[in-house]
Amino acid sequence: MLTSEQIKSLDIICCNWPEQKPTITPSRLKWFSTNHEIVFNKLLHRRTDGVYLELGSWTGAGSTEHVIKTFKNMSLICVDTFEGSPENHKDSKQKVIANNLWQHFCCNRWDERDRIWPMKGKTIECMTALAQHKVFPDFVYIDAAHDVESVFADLQTALNLFP
């Protein structure tokens, strides 16, 4: 559970939700399957009121949606550049989504915006900002960049900042 001081910090370092829900028809494209749900439920069932840090949120229709709807007392911090990755821009379907990723995310998660703090930026910079503001997650899900060096850097940073 977030403290009032942590909420104040998140209000400073996270981006603001738009004034109104975007009018875009949101994409439901995701890579989160029933198998992921089973694993998440087993991992998170002991700490259902904690702070979940998601590195890589895409449209908010995958792990973000599962966690916010299954774990009703959990707070989510969703880190993404909201620009899509080079791999997304190579695929014509994904490129259309990536070009409006922030709007897709906001539209998909609009009804839960009181429990979700989106951070626009690179994962290591955002994790560092969270640690500097004494916001320490109970669970970190790493699914941002998919190349070996980036995944390793995210994992190493998360372990160092949030042991």
Side-chain angles (χ1 to χ4, degrees):
M1 187 71 75
L2 291 167
T3 67
S4 59
E5 284 302 311
Q6 290 172 321
I7 291 171
K8 286 178 189 174
S9 292
L10 288 173
D11 284 341
I12 293 167
I13 61 176
C14 292
C15 56
N16 294 324
W17 288 85
E19 293 285 323
Q20 297 178 4
K21 183 178 181 178
T23 57
I24 192 169
T25 300
S27 168
R28 303 294 299 153
L29 181 63
K30 61 183 178 181
W31 295 273
F32 195 80
S33 69
T34 304
N35 292 333
H36 290 96
E37 291 178 10
I38 292 167
V39 171
F40 271 58
N41 292 350
K42 286 183 180 186
L43 288 172
L44 296 174
H45 80 279
R46 293 185 202 147
R47 190 64 197 267
T48 60
D49 65 342
V51 178
Y52 171 87
L53 174 60
E54 179 176 71
L55 304 178
S57 298
W58 187 237
T59 64
S63 57
T64 312
E65 180 170 294
H66 179 71
V67 171
I68 201 79
K69 291 188 175 193
T70 305
F71 303 98
K72 302 285 185 193
N73 296 317
M74 195 167 278
S75 300
L76 282 71
I77 302 167
C78 296
V79 174
D80 205 299
T81 61
F82 294 103
E83 297 172 358
S85 66
E87 64 196 68
N88 301 135
H89 287 277
K90 289 179 184 173
D91 179 278
S92 59
K93 275 186 181 176
Q94 292 179 32
K95 184 177 181 174
V96 172
I97 298 165
N99 287 339
N100 295 295
L101 192 51
W102 174 240
Q103 289 83 9
H104 286 280
F105 178 86
C106 290
C107 205
N108 280 326
R109 301 284 50 96
W110 187 256
D111 293 338
E112 301 94 11
R113 64 191 183 281
D114 60 321
R115 290 180 40 216
I116 298 176
W117 282 267
M119 292 183 77
K120 283 186 186 180
K122 296 184 177 183
T123 54
I124 292 174
E125 294 166 3
C126 290
M127 284 190 283
T128 301
L130 289 168
Q132 288 171 343
H133 284 86
K134 298 183 179 12
V135 177
F136 302 104
D138 299 295
F139 183 85
V140 180
Y141 177 54
I142 299 173
D143 189 21
H146 299 123
D147 60 278
V148 172
E149 295 81 15
S150 297
V151 173
F152 184 76
D154 285 344
L155 182 58
Q156 187 173 34
T157 301
L159 289 171
N160 288 336
L161 295 175
F162 317 120

